[in-house]
């Protein structure tokens, strides 16, 4: 979620919307910052390759279906000046149900731009795993690594090196009394869950009571997406949504510190908090 990795790769000379093309490079998000960096680097390489074909390219914009930002609608907004936008999914695994929903998301984005002149043409490209040439590329990679003189075996030595042992701390169960599950699935992400995660983390970090009692965990889709962004508090099993910047801190503090369930935002689960 670092800023530079989300900047679109633009070509100044192509910044007029003349015969312009924009590409949204669409990936699954990652829980670690390097995931966004890797996608940004791939976007840069793709930009070089497409312009080498002689095409006028406005930008290659990374986007994420979950866990990271920008989400697809934001990426489309950033590309809206182009005449044509190609959405290029590089998701592994490639889930047909997720792709169907992404189609709907794109249709909604288009519907929200009705009446705007020069709406871009939107093309959803073939998913990466269905690219016919992919097997050939992978075969070349295997051939290349097998013929490289410096290709090394993974060491098989068994001794008493540090890498052979995990730290003792990894055997200890922490004292947290509550697990707070925060959905970072595609639909919650499209509704702002990724941007709200730092707010949730800040709320817990800045409150000694919450910090001691709560462990935050990101999850994939929990299914009642229409109520997202979704927060689930265990052990009580109270589901809350839709969460936003203004209700995260009061709902969580009421629940964890004062045993009160916010009835307005309770989607599912008991009306009262039972202490364990
Ligand atoms: S994406 Fe969050 S509940 Fe489905």
């Amino acid at each position: 979620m670092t800023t530079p990795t989300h900047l679109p790769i633009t070509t100044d000379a192509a910044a007029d919307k003349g015969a312009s093309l924009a590409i949204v490079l669409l990936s699954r998000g990652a829980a670690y910052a390097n995931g966004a960096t890797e996608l940004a680097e791939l976007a840069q390489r793709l930009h070089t390759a497409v312009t080498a074909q002689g095409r006028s390219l406005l930008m290659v914009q990374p986007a994420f279906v979950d866990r990271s930002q920008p989400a697809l609608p934001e990426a489309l907004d950033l590309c809206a000046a182009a005449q044509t936008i190609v959405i290029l999914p590089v998701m592994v695994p490639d889930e047909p149900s997720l792709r169907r929903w992404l189609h709907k998301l794109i249709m909604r984005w288009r519907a929200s731009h009705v009446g705007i002149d020069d709406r871009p043409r939107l093309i959803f490209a073939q998913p990466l795993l269905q690219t016919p040439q992919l097997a050939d590329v992978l075969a070349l990679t295997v051939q290349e690594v097998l013929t490289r003189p410096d290709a090394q075996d993974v060491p098989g030595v068994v001794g008493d090196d540090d890498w052979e042992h995990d730290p003792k701390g990894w055997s200890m169960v922490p004292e947290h009394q509550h697990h707070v599950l925060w959905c970072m699935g595609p639909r919650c992400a499209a509704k702002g869950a990724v941007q709200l995660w730092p707010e949730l983390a800040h709320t817990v970090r800045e409150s000694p009571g919450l910090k001691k009692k709560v462990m935050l965990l990101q999850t994939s889709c929990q299914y009642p997406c229409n109520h997202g962004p979704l927060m689930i508090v265990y052990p009580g099993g109270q589901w809350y949504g839709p969460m936003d910047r203004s209700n995260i801190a009061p709902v969580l503090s009421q629940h964890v510190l004062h045993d009160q369930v916010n009835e307005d935002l309770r989607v599912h689960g008991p009306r009262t908090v039972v202490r364990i």
Side-chain angles (χ1 to χ4, degrees):
M1 283 178 240
T2 50
T3 309
T5 56
H6 297 131
L7 290 176
I9 314 302
T10 60
T11 303
D12 290 342
D16 68 309
K17 58 193 286 188
S20 62
L21 166 71
I23 300 171
V24 174
L25 197 57
L26 183 62
S27 168
R28 287 233 175 234
Y32 58 99
N34 270 359
T37 306
E38 287 163 7
L39 192 65
E41 287 169 358
L42 179 59
Q44 179 72 65
R45 279 156 45 208
L46 179 61
H47 188 278
T48 303
V50 173
T51 48
Q53 292 173 336
R55 288 192 181 278
S56 170
L57 184 57
L58 188 61
M59 65 173 71
V60 180
Q61 173 61 52
F64 300 91
V65 294
D66 52 14
R67 285 176 165 260
S68 304
Q69 56 180 319
L72 181 54
E74 295 155 17
L76 291 173
D77 283 343
L78 292 168
C79 295
Q83 276 190 331
T84 302
I85 304 175
V86 173
I87 298 116
L88 185 57
V90 288
M91 302 178 300
V92 178
D94 172 42
E95 296 169 40
S97 61
L98 177 58
R99 254 188 294 127
R100 280 196 295 276
W101 176 74
L102 290 169
H103 273 273
K104 278 206 273 183
L105 196 64
I106 295 166
M107 287 161 69
R108 282 182 213 155
W109 182 87
R110 160 151 277 171
S112 71
H113 288 69
V114 165
I116 297 175
D117 290 343
D118 296 337
R119 276 184 302 148
R121 183 175 170 229
L122 292 169
I123 301 172
F124 205 86
Q126 197 166 34
L128 177 68
L129 291 182
Q130 292 178 26
T131 307
Q133 301 86 351
L134 182 61
D136 297 333
V137 172
L138 294 176
L140 279 175
T141 306
V142 172
Q143 188 184 4
E144 192 270 336
V145 77
L146 288 176
T147 54
R148 231 174 47 200
D150 60 343
Q152 295 194 342
D153 284 4
V154 174
V157 183
V158 177
D160 207 19
D161 283 348
D162 265 1
W163 61 264
E164 294 176 50
H165 305 283
D166 289 330
K168 286 197 173 50
W170 290 5
S171 305
M172 292 164 64
V173 178
E175 290 178 34
H176 303 108
Q177 295 162 358
H178 297 273
H179 287 102
V180 173
L181 311 186
W182 184 259
C183 181
M184 291 284 240
R187 285 154 282 266
C188 286
K191 292 176 171 182
V194 178
Q195 292 91 330
L196 289 171
W197 170 258
E199 185 79 27
L200 177 64
H202 177 82
T203 299
V204 172
R205 207 171 40 240
E206 295 305 310
S207 159
L210 290 178
K211 194 172 168 185
K212 189 162 171 245
K213 293 184 172 187
V214 165
M215 174 171 272
L216 297 178
L217 298 164
Q218 297 181 359
T219 74
S220 52
C221 178
Q222 298 290 320
Y223 296 107
C225 315
N226 290 345
H227 297 288
L230 202 66
M231 178 175 80
I232 310 166
V233 184
Y234 279 106
Q238 278 85 5
W239 297 50
Y240 294 108
M243 303 307 295
D244 62 31
R245 211 166 282 284
S246 68
N247 62 28
I248 286 177
V251 171
L252 195 57
S253 300
Q254 272 173 17
H255 186 118
V256 172
L257 304 179
H258 305 291
D259 296 336
Q260 291 170 3
V261 173
N262 185 307
E263 197 50 35
D264 293 341
L265 294 169
R266 185 181 64 87
V267 171
H268 176 72
R271 286 195 159 82
T272 53
V273 175
V274 178
R275 271 189 189 259
I276 54 164

